[in-house]
Amino acid sequence: MIYELPSLAYPYDALAPHIDARTMEIHHTKHHAGYIAKLNKALESCPEIRETPLEEILTDLKVVPEDLRQSVRNNGGGHLNHTLFWETMAPGCVCGPTGEFAEAISSTFGSFGNFREQFGGVALTRFGSGWAWLGLDKDRRLDVFSTANQDSPLMLGYRPLLGLDVWEHAYYLTYQNRRADYIAAWWNVVNWKAVAESYARLVALVGRAH
Ligand code: MN
């Protein structure tokens, strides 16, 4: 499979002032595109897994020949992580989780406020480059955690629902070293409708797998 850069559902300036247009454009056309180019290059050399879905590969990286494993981990993770990142943001205020997803957030974290606090804390304290995540585990439980670099939640047995990129390239132009300000602003552009839909889809999928 040859991977291609997915187009965004909104223009680069749509998330401003929370995320500026230049950051969005560089992030999408340089960083994300770069991961895809390197992923395709790595997969060129291993025809035995070229047609295996990337989700499956990242769930069990041992299927990748050892000399290419780190590249597939970094660049395959980079591709999937960014694809989800773009899909779970949208312009305009969406107020928060709804329906069954909202109930799951409340029952797991106590309240939506507690969830935000926990997620924000994980995003803020991830040392160096990485991601903060809301994921669904094999028992269909929600959890908040972070990963380093471009590691995918799939590598830890989670299905990712919502991820926040805390690499400096995601926020430096507007926020410089103020990661906390970037995190606070990002909540304004979370596409909760997309996250709730993904929750419903994944709960059913994980349920069937049992
Ligand atoms: Mn990024």
Side-chain angles (χ1 to χ4, degrees):
M1 197 178 314
I2 309 280
Y3 292 94
E4 286 174 10
L5 186 66
S7 40
L8 304 191
Y10 42 82
Y12 290 129
D13 62 359
L15 307 181
H18 309 295
I19 302 181
D20 68 275
R22 183 91 178 114
T23 294
M24 287 296 295
E25 185 175 0
I26 296 171
H27 202 170
H28 184 238
T29 62
K30 305 292 182 200
H31 293 277
H32 189 175
Y35 297 123
I36 293 170
K38 289 181 194 140
L39 173 64
N40 285 330
K41 182 108 189 89
L43 291 177
E44 249 176 46
S45 322
C46 35
E48 66 273 32
I49 56 161
R50 208 181 287 156
E51 300 309 319
T52 309
L54 190 51
E55 287 83 354
E56 251 176 63
I57 295 175
L58 289 172
T59 301
D60 182 15
L61 278 165
K62 290 194 300 297
V63 300
V64 185
E66 206 172 345
D67 57 327
L68 295 166
R69 200 172 293 159
Q70 193 63 42
S71 180
V72 170
R73 173 179 178 167
N74 292 342
N75 297 299
H79 175 39
L80 283 192
N81 292 346
H82 286 86
T83 300
L84 183 72
F85 188 52
W86 311 133
E87 286 171 358
T88 49
M89 294 193 289
C93 173
V94 255
C95 305
T98 50
E100 274 181 36
F101 174 58
E103 285 165 29
I105 287 278
S106 293
S107 67
T108 308
F109 302 99
S111 67
F112 180 48
N114 284 354
F115 156 71
R116 280 179 46 146
E117 203 171 303
Q118 202 174 318
F119 187 101
V122 157
L124 190 62
T125 55
R126 160 49 59 190
F127 184 74
S129 297
W131 291 74
W133 297 103
L134 173 69
L136 195 67
D137 75 11
K138 290 187 167 71
D139 298 314
R140 291 187 275 180
R141 280 191 300 251
L142 293 174
D143 203 358
V144 158
F145 55 96
S146 73
T147 57
N149 304 315
Q150 293 297 348
D151 281 358
S152 166
L154 295 168
M155 293 166 50
L156 304 172
Y158 288 99
R159 306 273 184 154
L161 290 165
L162 177 66
L164 173 57
D165 188 342
V166 294
W167 284 57
E168 282 188 345
H169 69 227
Y171 62 89
Y172 204 81
L173 293 183
T174 297
Y175 299 98
Q176 292 84 48
N177 61 323
R178 303 186 309 277
R179 189 190 285 185
D181 292 352
Y182 160 66
I183 296 167
W186 172 76
W187 290 115
N188 294 297
V189 295
V190 175
N191 183 350
W192 291 110
K193 187 167 173 283
V195 182
E197 283 167 5
S198 152
Y199 174 77
R201 191 178 65 247
L202 290 176
V203 160
L205 194 70
V206 173
R208 269 207 304 278
H210 269 249

